[in-house]
Amino acid sequence: MKIKIINPNTSRSMTELIGRCARQRALPGTEVLVVHPSMGPASIESHYDEVLAVPGLLQEIRSGEAQGVGGHVIACFGDPGLQAAREIASGPVLGIAESAMHLASLVAPRFSVVTTLGRTVGQAWHLAEVYGMRRFCANVRACEIPVLELDRPGSGARQRILAECRQALREDRAEAIVLGCAGMADLCDELTALLGVPVIDGVGAAVKLLEALSGLGLRTSKHGEWALPPAKPVSGLLADFSLLGEPVHGAA
Ligand code: 5HY
């Protein structure tokens, strides 16, 4: 199968890190495309950033559909634009937060999320609520590390994330850790070995879930809420996003 992973921010270094981690997890027969939009914020650390990232993300979903990809991953822990992406895609679309939380709930009764900035903690709690994961989510912790500092040499990010994970196991009674940023994906195996508990990275989780869905022949239901949106004129800067004249999925 061919999957397309979209880093919704526009930082090439993060896209490359996401690509390396995704390809490590993918089966030999899975072709992995990894992209970021040509427009949007360099990192996503606020509601404003998330909204600005969605148009470029949806452009990549539409081009992925034209490329005939079997599924998409939105590789940002806020799962920006996930529902809209599902409306315009025919294959499955997975967000890394939803994917990581669900897999964590299968291997531990309680997990803590360790993420970047404190201002994004509320969104992670909101997603846990929306995904029905509140009863598994012991806590959401922030390391106060800006997203683009994660892979800067000398930032001390790895040590701060490890310390926050250890506190989660001690203080939250967490029995697994969910990494709350796509930029932490490369720390997953090391943290698993150091902490001795399951550490779930959403990039790898989403890749394996897409492979599972593909193996079961499961695609996004077009029966109701996630059917293609009603076509209508769209004006101004977003005019190209009008679906007027768009082929209907599965139409003959
Ligand atoms: C992410 N931001 O995974 C989120 C993490 C966050 O640019 N990629 C980003 O802090 O919400």
Side-chain angles (χ1 to χ4, degrees):
M1 78 175 296
K2 180 161 59 173
I3 65 175
K4 185 172 184 180
I5 302 177
I6 304 163
N7 167 23
N9 74 41
T10 51
S11 292
R12 180 167 305 283
S13 61
M14 254 182 95
T15 304
E16 290 169 354
L17 182 151
I18 290 164
R20 288 194 299 275
C21 295
R23 293 186 175 103
Q24 268 178 349
R25 305 297 186 192
L27 291 170
T30 299
E31 181 185 353
V32 179
L33 306 176
V34 191
V35 300
H36 58 258
S38 56
M39 61 180 174
S43 65
I44 299 167
E45 300 170 313
S46 66
H47 296 291
Y48 185 78
D49 293 344
E50 286 216 5
V51 171
L52 287 182
V54 171
L57 165 77
L58 293 178
Q59 272 184 331
E60 291 301 336
I61 297 281
R62 288 175 75 182
S63 64
E65 284 296 302
Q67 292 165 304
V69 301
H72 290 86
V73 173
I74 298 173
C76 171
F77 201 77
D79 292 355
L82 178 59
Q83 310 308 327
R86 285 174 171 159
E87 290 181 337
I88 63 172
S90 52
V93 184
L94 300 182
I96 65 171
E98 185 177 33
S99 301
M101 288 183 187
H102 279 288
L103 288 196
S105 73
L106 300 179
V107 294
R110 295 166 61 82
F111 64 77
S112 284
V113 175
V114 174
T115 190
T116 53
L117 296 181
R119 64 176 300 150
T120 69
V121 164
Q123 174 68 353
W125 275 119
H126 170 70
L127 292 178
E129 182 69 38
V130 167
Y131 299 147
M133 289 285 125
R134 274 305 288 262
R135 66 190 178 96
F136 294 98
C137 188
N139 199 4
V140 177
R141 291 172 167 269
C143 303
E144 290 309 340
I145 303 168
V147 170
L148 297 183
E149 285 285 294
L150 286 170
D151 64 351
R152 184 178 63 78
S155 68
R158 175 190 161 282
Q159 291 79 0
R160 286 160 65 184
I161 293 166
L162 176 60
E164 202 65 43
C165 290
R166 287 202 162 117
Q167 274 191 289
L169 299 183
R170 267 197 316 272
E171 298 171 10
D172 307 340
R173 293 189 299 111
E175 300 178 36
I177 297 292
V178 167
L179 297 177
C181 180
M184 297 178 180
D186 60 335
L187 299 177
C188 186
D189 292 345
E190 178 187 5
L191 290 171
T192 300
L194 288 169
L195 296 167
V197 300
V199 176
I200 297 92
D201 137 57
V203 173
V207 168
K208 301 315 283 184
L209 284 171
L210 272 188
E211 289 174 341
L213 290 169
S214 173
L216 294 167
L218 293 173
R219 300 165 66 78
T220 298
S221 171
K222 293 297 168 186
H223 186 64
E225 184 173 340
W226 289 338
L228 197 65
K232 64 197 67 178
V234 178
S235 58
L237 280 177
L238 299 176
D240 287 349
F241 286 83
S242 171
L243 299 176
L244 285 169
E246 193 87 349
V248 179
H249 294 309

